[in-house]
Structure formats: structure tokens, C-alpha cells
Amino acid sequence: MYKQLSYQLLRLFIVILLCTVIFLVFHYTAKFIYPLIIAIMLSLGMHPAVTFLQNRFKFPRIAATLTVIVAAFFTFISFIFFIVNEIINGVISIADKIPGYFAKGTQILDHLTNNYLLPFYQKLASLIHTLDEEQQITIKEKVTDFANNMAIAAAEFLQQLLLSIPAFVSTLPNSVTIIIFIVLASFIITNDWDLLNTKMKSLLPARINSSGQRIMIQLKKATAGYIKAQVTLIFITFIVILIGLIVLQVDHPLTIAFLAACVDLLPYVGTGILFIPWILYLYMTGNFPLTIGLIVIYMIIVILRQILEPKVLASSIGLHPLAALIILFVGVQMLGMLGFLIAPVLLILVNAFYKAEIPQKIWQFIVKG
């Protein structure tokens, strides 16, 4: 009995050690191998389309790969062009209204200065004059220190901003190199997919190959489900905003709804990056009906997103809503904004490993060997 328990503990130690080694290797090599990981993921997505062209239309493998890559490139460029065109149209429309916005802003500033700031300053000055000389000197010193600290902070911020410009420019050549590497690696991997797949299978034991195939099948399903879920959520956001803006008779509702749906993917901020400044401006300018209308739209979007995201993700990926919610929450709490980005990947991986029965097999290995 003790001998069996010893072997079980040994196998448990081996599993923990192996998981630790995999985690450490990935942690310290991720910044070097992430372009290759991206290339493999792109190849994984392009492989079905390339195989379809090869089998259905008798394309040579290399021609099918080039066709899919070029089609994906032009689709991406067309999408970017559409976004830029919509932004330009929106900017042109806003540019026509800027003089009116500045005039309105000047009126608001004058109103705040004359009715709030100047009376407050006069009242504060009169209170300071009622104090004794030592207290007045102390207050003046504190104000001077505050002003100096603000000036130093502003100078440091400006300095860091200026220093970041050369750093950003210096990263551009490296970014171009990485993009070229990803494209070339994607082409090579996709073109030689069958050869690389056969070579990989020959290097690994049959048990690992079987588990790996099940994981890949589940990863494909989960990734497709996640993309479907995000498209569904973005479409819901787009429709809600579009209908709301049309009801409120806002100019360019289609452009605004499209941009809001795109920024809805941003962690934490989401549509708030567009709606909150807009709502504040309308409130300051006294346009209360439109302010209330936008607040209602924004609240509906936030509530719908919070309610639907775990459920849509769970149903699309095939995971229980509670498990999806826990993974999203833990990812955000542990890693902050980065966790918000990593949580969906963890969601897909956890689901794929669970569906491929990897935890059960690991437990079986620990218990029975």
C-alpha cells in the first residue's frame, strides 16, 4: 500500500514539475516566440480555406496558400480603408461645427469664471486677509509649493512624452520586421502543413498524438465559438446604438454606431471612451434632452454587455456560464487590463483541455500510472 502511495506521489510530483517547467519556459520565451505563435494561429485559420481551394478547384498547394493570404490581406486593407473613410467623413462633419463648438465653449468658460471662480476667489481672498500674518505666510508658501510641484510634474510629463517619441519611432523598423516574419512564417507553415504535421506526429508518442489531436479539434471549435460570440456582442451593440441615435435624430448615426461597436472591444473603457466625453459636453452646453438620451443608450449597452457576455461566450464556446464568469473575473483581478485580454484565451484553453479529457487523463496517470 505504501509502495503504491509512493508511486502516486512521485507521479504527482512529475506532473507538477512538468507543468512548472512548461510555464517557466513559456514565461521567459514568450517575448521571443510570440511572432511564431501568431503565425501558427494564422496558419491554423487559413488551413481549411487552403485545403478547400486545393481539393475543390484543384489549386496547387502553393497557389492556394498565396490566394488565401492575398485575399486575407486585401480584406484587412479594405476594412481599414472603410474605417478610415468613415472617420474622415465624421471629422469633416465635425470640422464644420468646430467654430460653433468653440464659441459655445467660450461662453461656458465665461459663465463659469464670472459666476463661480471669481466669487470664490474673492471670498477666499477676504478670508485669508482675516488671518494673522504668520498664517497668511504659511498659506502662501503652501500655494507656492503646490504650484512648483505642478510645474515640475508637468515638465516631467512633457519630458517623458518627448523621450517616448524616439523610442516609438525606433520600434517601427522592428515592428515591420516582425510583421514580415509573421507573414512569411504563416505562408511556410500553411504551405507545408501536412508535411509538418506528419513530422510532428512521428516525433511524439502515440498517446500524446491522440491527446494533441483532440485538443486541436476542441481549440478549433472554441476559437470559432469565441469569434462568433464577439461578433454577436458587437452586432448587438451596433444595433442598440444605431436605433438609439436614429430615435434621438443624431447626425451620422451609422458612422457613430460603427465606431462605438469597434471600441466596445477595448478592455475596461469600451463604448465609454466615446459616450462619456460626449455626454459631459452635451451637459455642459445645456443640451439636456440629448444628454439623457445618450445616458440611457450607454446604460443599456453596459447592462446588456454585462448580462450577455458570460452567457454568449459560454454558449458559443460550450462552457457553463458560471465557469466563464469565474475565469473572466479571475483573469481581470490577477492581471488587470492584461488579464482582460488573456482571460478569453484562458477560457478557450481551459474548455479545450476539459473537452479533450486532459484533466481526467492526468488524474488517471497519477492514480494508476
Side-chain angles (χ1 to χ4, degrees), residues 28-86:
Y28 288 105
T29 61
K31 61 182 179 181
F32 303 109
I33 65 173
Y34 78 90
L36 182 61
I37 295 173
I38 294 174
I40 293 172
M41 293 175 65
L42 290 175
S43 299
L44 190 64
M46 291 188 294
H47 174 65
V50 172
T51 304
F52 174 78
L53 290 177
Q54 188 180 12
N55 295 335
R56 183 67 180 271
F57 299 102
K58 308 303 178 184
F59 275 39
R61 182 74 184 184
I62 188 170
T65 304
L66 281 173
T67 302
V68 172
I69 289 177
V70 171
F73 175 77
F74 277 107
T75 301
F76 177 75
I77 293 298
S78 300
F79 179 72
I80 296 296
F81 177 79
F82 174 75
I83 292 177
V84 170
N85 185 59
E86 290 295 322

Side-chain angles (χ1 to χ4, degrees), residues 6-301:
S6 300
Y7 281 126
Q8 289 175 347
L9 291 174
L10 178 61
R11 288 193 291 267
L12 176 61
F13 175 75
I14 292 172
V15 170
I16 294 174
L17 180 63
L18 185 61
C19 291
T20 304
V21 169
I22 292 173
F23 172 78
L24 291 175
V25 169
F26 181 78
H27 178 73
Y28 288 105
T29 61
K31 61 182 179 181
F32 303 109
I33 65 173
Y34 78 90
L36 182 61
I37 295 173
I38 294 174
I40 293 172
M41 293 175 65
L42 290 175
S43 299
L44 190 64
M46 291 188 294
H47 174 65
V50 172
T51 304
F52 174 78
L53 290 177
Q54 188 180 12
N55 295 335
R56 183 67 180 271
F57 299 102
K58 308 303 178 184
F59 275 39
R61 182 74 184 184
I62 188 170
T65 304
L66 281 173
T67 302
V68 172
I69 289 177
V70 171
F73 175 77
F74 277 107
T75 301
F76 177 75
I77 293 298
S78 300
F79 179 72
I80 296 296
F81 177 79
F82 174 75
I83 292 177
V84 170
N85 185 59
E86 290 295 322
I87 291 174
I88 290 173
N89 290 335
V91 169
I92 291 173
S93 175
I94 293 172
D96 294 334
K97 301 175 182 178
I98 282 179
Y101 290 155
F102 270 107
K104 191 71 175 178
T106 304
Q107 292 176 5
I108 294 171
L109 188 60
D110 289 340
H111 176 74
L112 290 174
T113 303
N114 295 327
N115 292 279
Y116 296 99
L117 295 180
L118 285 178
F120 175 75
Y121 172 77
Q122 292 169 357
K123 185 176 181 180
L124 185 62
S126 63
L127 288 173
I128 292 175
H129 286 306
T130 60
L131 302 174
D132 57 50
E133 185 176 354
E134 185 178 349
Q135 290 175 325
Q136 292 184 32
I137 292 172
T138 303
I139 291 174
K140 288 179 181 178
E141 288 176 352
K142 295 296 183 183
V143 172
T144 303
D145 290 341
F146 176 75
N148 290 335
N149 291 333
M150 290 294 293
I152 292 171
E156 290 178 351
F157 173 76
L158 183 61
Q159 183 183 24
Q160 292 297 324
L161 182 64
L162 293 174
L163 290 174
S164 65
I165 294 175
F168 173 73
V169 173
S170 65
T171 61
L172 292 179
N174 187 45
S175 300
V176 172
T177 304
I178 291 172
I179 291 172
I180 292 173
F181 173 83
I182 291 173
V183 172
L184 291 176
S186 300
F187 172 77
I188 294 171
I189 293 171
T190 307
N191 187 54
D192 297 333
W193 182 273
D194 295 330
L195 178 63
L196 293 172
N197 193 27
T198 304
K199 190 71 174 176
M200 185 66 68
K201 287 180 179 179
S202 66
L203 296 174
L204 297 174
R207 181 182 295 183
I208 295 178
N209 276 324
S210 176
S211 299
Q213 287 179 356
R214 285 197 298 270
I215 291 172
M216 290 303 297
I217 292 171
Q218 296 301 327
L219 277 176
K220 289 179 182 179
K221 291 181 179 178
T223 303
Y226 177 75
I227 294 172
K228 178 184 174 183
Q230 290 299 326
V231 171
T232 302
L233 291 170
I234 291 174
F235 181 73
I236 291 171
T237 300
F238 173 79
I239 293 298
V240 170
I241 295 174
L242 181 63
I243 293 173
L245 295 180
I246 291 173
V247 171
L248 295 174
Q249 298 181 349
V250 175
D251 294 336
H252 306 285
L254 184 63
T255 302
I256 297 172
F258 179 79
L259 292 176
C262 290
V263 299
D264 194 35
L265 289 171
L266 295 176
Y268 286 116
V269 289
T271 53
I273 198 173
L274 179 66
F275 274 90
I276 292 175
W278 192 7
I279 289 169
L280 290 175
Y281 172 79
L282 292 171
Y283 177 78
M284 297 292 289
T285 55
N287 193 343
F288 299 119
L290 189 54
T291 302
I292 296 171
L294 291 181
I295 290 174
V296 171
I297 294 174
Y298 181 58
M299 289 178 62
I300 291 173
I301 294 167

